[in-house]
Every structure is written in structure tokens, then in C-alpha cells.
Amino acid sequence: PIAGWTAAKILWVKENQPELFQKCKHILLPKDYIVYILTGKSSTDVSDASGMQIFDVKKRNWSDEVLEKLDLPKSLFGEVHESQEVVGTLLPQIAKTCGLLEDTLVVAGGSDNACAAIGTGTIREGEAFISLGTSAVVYTHLDQFAQTKDGGIHLCCRCTCDPRLSGAGAVPHGARACS
């Protein structure tokens, strides 16, 4: 796994702080933690999950093969949703604290660059954008899943209402493609 991404970080904790890893009940990305606090449900969306290096982009679910190889229990990882899907509603105490109705819907959301693609209008094959920030990404879309032979492009899911479509992008330590 690429050292800066989630799978490598999980393995580092597992190998270097096993007592901490044993206490772990959920592994959540930042937006997914917020969804957990709001709904009490451990979940993620396909666009963020596909950047964790333990996700099968083509099947749009956790990779049993990778999880087995890394000896990571699938139970640590939440239910996977499409980005626009409803995860649940607000917990009663959260609704009360925020002054919202308990039946307020909470959706899965999406990764930063997958959402930025929508915001920049980069939603069709052949369109691309560059994101310079914590990472440097060249992001483009593909109309269908495209497996890379050498692993030089990271495949990930995009967060549009048409989950069949794919995207691609390059990051400083390799390349990234989104499905």
C-alpha cells in the first residue's frame, strides 16, 4: 500500500500499537465519523472507500481478497453507500441539540476530489481538473471501468448519480483513476 493512504496507516497501527488496534471498533474517514455521530451508523461512500486501498472499485464494495491478505476484519469497516444515498436519520439527542427534526436525512457524501469534479462541472469523459492542496491531483472521468495493468493509476469511484461511470487522476506518488 502507498504509505500515505489509509491501508498503510491501519497496518502501521496494527503492527506498532497492537493494544490500540485491538480496541478499535470502527475505522472511519473524517466525514464518515461525522455521519456516525449524527446517525450512530458506521458507513462510508464509494468515492472515499475507493481511496483506502482495501476496496474493490469494480464491485463497489470492500475487497474480501485485500482484507484477508492484510488480515483486517471486515467488521471494522462500515456499510458502503453510493454518495447520494441516505445513511439514516439524526439520533434524537443530536436532533434536539441542533434544533432539527429527528427525521432529518443524512446522506453518505463523497470524497473531496469526487465532489470537486461535480462542482467544477467535470462530469463527462474527456474533461479534467487539477486540484492542488494537500495532494496534487489531475482528475478526469471515464465512461466505464478501466483496469490498469501496472497499477500506475489509482482507480476510485466517483460520486455522481450514475455509479456506472468512472474517473481517473494522477497524484504525486502515482496516478489516480476514479470509477
Side-chain angles (χ1 to χ4, degrees):
I2 297 172
W5 290 12
T6 312
K9 293 174 184 177
I10 294 168
L11 292 177
W12 187 93
V13 171
K14 183 179 174 190
E15 294 169 11
N16 294 283
Q17 297 180 331
E19 66 290 341
L20 184 62
F21 184 80
Q22 290 300 319
K23 295 178 184 179
C24 186
K25 292 181 183 176
H26 305 289
I27 294 177
L28 301 167
L29 296 172
K31 72 157 178 52
D32 303 324
Y33 177 70
I34 293 169
V35 169
Y36 177 74
I37 294 299
L38 295 174
T39 66
K41 296 182 180 180
S42 175
S43 66
T44 193
D45 81 292
V46 294
S47 68
D48 255 342
S50 58
M52 295 176 71
Q53 297 184 299
I54 52 175
F55 193 77
D56 184 326
V57 174
K58 191 170 188 178
K59 293 180 182 174
R60 300 177 86 80
N61 213 330
W62 300 117
S63 171
D64 291 328
E65 178 184 357
V66 173
L67 290 171
E68 183 179 326
K69 190 152 196 105
L70 299 179
D71 192 28
L72 294 173
K74 194 174 189 175
S75 61
L76 287 176
F77 305 94
E79 183 179 349
V80 179
H81 295 272
E82 293 298 326
S83 298
Q84 72 280 359
E85 286 181 343
V86 173
V87 173
T89 57
L90 295 177
L91 293 170
Q93 185 57 40
I94 296 295
K96 182 179 178 183
T97 300
C98 296
L100 298 169
L101 299 174
E102 287 183 27
D103 61 354
T104 299
L105 302 177
V106 179
V107 298
S111 70
D112 53 0
N113 284 309
C115 289
I118 295 169
T120 61
T122 308
I123 58 173
R124 289 174 284 285
E125 184 160 338
E127 298 176 333
F129 74 91
I130 298 171
S131 173
L132 301 173
T134 304
S135 63
V137 176
V138 176
Y139 189 105
T140 188
H141 285 290
L142 307 172
D143 283 339
Q144 60 188 3
F145 178 86
Q147 184 66 50
T148 60
K149 293 179 184 178
D150 62 3
I153 293 179
H154 176 73
L155 298 172
C156 64
C157 298
R158 61 192 240 189
C159 61
T160 62
C161 292
D162 186 347
R164 297 169 294 152
L165 303 178
S166 303
V171 293
H173 43 268
R176 183 173 193 164
C178 300
S179 154

